[in-house]
Amino acid sequence: MKKILVIDDEAIVRMSCERTLVPEGYDVRLATNGRDGIAFMEKEKFSLVLLDLKMPDMDGIEVLNKINTTWPDTKVVMVTGYSTVETAVQALRLGAYNFIEKPFTPDTLIEAVKEVFEKSQGPRDADKDR
Amino acid sequence: MKNIFSHPEKSIAAKLIIATGILIVVMSFIFWYATLKKQEKDVMSMALTYGDSFVKFTKRSTRHSMLVFNPEETQRVLENLGTPEGVQRVRIYNHQGNVVFSSNINNVGTNVDRTSVACKSCHADPGKSPALLPDPVKWSVRKDEKGSTSVKIVSEIVNEPDCYNASCHAHPREQEIIGFVEADLSLALLDEALFKQGLALTVYVIVFVLAVSMFLGIINYKIVTHPVHELSKGMERVAGGDLDYSVQIKSVDEIGVLAGTFNSMIKDLKAARDQREKWTQTLEEEIAKKTEEIRMTHANLVQTEKLASLGRMAAGVAHEINNPLTGVVTFAHLLKKGFAPDSPQAQDLDIIIEQSERCTKIIKNLLTFARATPSEKGKVSINDVLNRTVFMVQNQEKFHHIKFNIKLEDSQFVIIGDSSQFQQIFLNMFINAADAMGGRGNIHVATRSLTEEGRPYVEIEFRDEGTGIKPENMPKLFEPFFTTKPVGKGTGLGLSVSHGIVKHFGGNIKVKSEIGKGTTFFVRLPLPDKKNIEA
């Protein structure tokens, strides 16, 4: 099962992700902030985290750092407003897999998610074989 | 002339005139007095000489009648001698003072006054002591009852052999002085002559004094008073601020030199004042310039601050709107999946999706305006960026009917900056030009180098053949959200963003527009020094 965790403080964004991804066959969990998200991750193993960059309480970058150090196999796609493209680029440097801009269409989201799973399966599996 | 004597202590001329006047009057008086006295003395000495001659003549005239002892004849001679005008009296008296003969017969037999000069000329105390004075003066002067001068001359008749040997034996041999001849002569005529001479002299002296004083006064006025007055008038004028005045004194004396010095001083003063006024003016201009600069800087600061806070707000709003927009887009898409693609519901949902995308675009523009994306700086060739931008837009539908007329100067115009920012400026210019021309016409692009206030600039000209900008819209051109384009076509941020970028690089944008003919934008960007580029 392809498990995805969505961490976003905005309910509508969480709902959009859930309604877009569930019909595509993904197992989606929703967290309203970074702390909750990390709590989820401690219980279950996720392949992908859709992480909002700007959140109150715990910043997206902070959460990213935590995921990178604790669950290095989990991919992170940053979800960001246009204003934070630079921060998104910074996030890529810090180890995020990709980023998508808000507002996104269902197709954009699905494409981005698909890419993660397709790519990670190819090279990563090859890595494992070695 | 009048006022110099009202306060003589205040006038050099008055002092000079008074001093020389007093000197002239005193000297003239001394001269006048000395001359009068000298004349009087000369006249008196002449009168005495003639008087003496007269007495000697009397002695000689009566000698014979005396020797022959003819008293009647002697008396007759004396009477004759007493007749001419001027001879008051002639008489002969003995040593005892008894008058023996006289031109006035009534006088004969009287005694001579012992205090008379006849006695006192020889005897210190006549009638009491025979003692003689060492230096007898045998004449005296007195004023008669008419006020005219008369002189009395006495001459002794000395005993001689002819006398004491005469047959009459009237005088013994041992008698030394046998008598005296005395003449009283009137000097009335001489008095009158003297008076007339004195009067004439007085008149001459007065006329002389007046003439000399007047002459001195005139000379004084010409040489001192007038020039000094001119000078003081000049000084008053100069003190009153009239520096175009010059004193008209042509003389070469000290006052002339003073006037010359004064005139050159005024000239210097005027030059100094003109210089000072020029400085003041320059200073005022400088102050006005600086004030304008400060005002501009302040206005720019206010504008920048305004834009910055607007940007911050826009960024905040944009970010917040992105979240609900995500929901709108997502659910519209999800909803659309439930309908056939060409059903009316699907078409309506397409409108929702389309309008949401429009919102997305507006937000992107807003965020561009807020310049939330920091730029990467590098060497940028303005000509290259222009060419690239033109190439980019030419492929877009909007520019399909637009011809680009490009004249770029050979120089590369290298600026340190972010090429995307310059591209954004040029893109805005092209979009505005295309919109102004309704998508058809020529866009003229040119670059040239120029120098402004000693700094090198590159000027990029964008000229369209569009509708032009209304004069009332000119001041609002660079204001954010100001647009004349139809709703949905323009955000009103293009020029405002361009302006912000150009300002950031220390440049400026100038606009020239004519209604119906077109608009030209001049974008000026400062070029860095060569060495900065090479470094």
Side-chain angles (χ1 to χ4, degrees), chain B residues 161-231:
Chain B
D162 283 351
C163 295
Y164 56 76
N165 291 332
S167 56
C168 61
H169 305 293
H171 303 294
R173 187 186 184 140
E174 55 281 355
Q175 192 175 11
E176 204 179 326
I177 292 166
I178 54 175
F180 299 92
V181 176
E182 184 204 82
D184 285 298
L185 302 169
S186 168
L187 298 182
L189 281 173
L190 284 173
D191 273 353
E192 199 185 327
L194 263 180
F195 175 74
K196 279 181 181 164
Q197 267 191 3
L199 195 68
L201 185 67
T202 307
V203 169
Y204 294 158
V205 165
I206 287 170
V207 167
F208 169 77
V209 165
L210 286 179
V212 166
S213 298
M214 205 186 282
F215 181 71
L216 274 179
I218 291 167
I219 293 281
N220 225 320
Y221 178 75
K222 286 271 179 207
I223 293 176
V224 181
T225 312
H226 179 68
V228 167
H229 181 66
E230 279 293 304
L231 266 177

Side-chain angles (χ1 to χ4, degrees), chain A residues 8-10 12-13 15-17 19-20 24 52 54 80-86 93 101-107 110, chain B residues 315 319-331 333-334 337 353 356-357 360 363-364 367-368 372-374 376:
Chain A
D8 202 310
D9 57 321
E10 277 281 334
I12 187 70
V13 178
M15 273 165 71
S16 297
C17 291
R19 290 287 299 274
T20 308
E24 296 295 317
D52 186 19
K54 265 192 150 182
T80 166
Y82 178 81
S83 66
T84 49
V85 166
E86 287 302 310
R93 288 201 188 111
E101 277 178 46
K102 282 191 216 170
F104 47 83
T105 59
D107 292 349
I110 290 163
Chain B
H319 186 76
E320 288 308 311
I321 284 176
N322 276 333
N323 291 322
L325 262 181
T326 307
V328 172
V329 172
T330 304
F331 285 91
H333 274 285
L334 292 176
K337 281 182 183 163
I353 290 163
S356 302
E357 275 165 4
T360 308
I363 288 159
K364 276 195 176 183
L367 290 167
T368 309
T373 33
E376 298 223 344

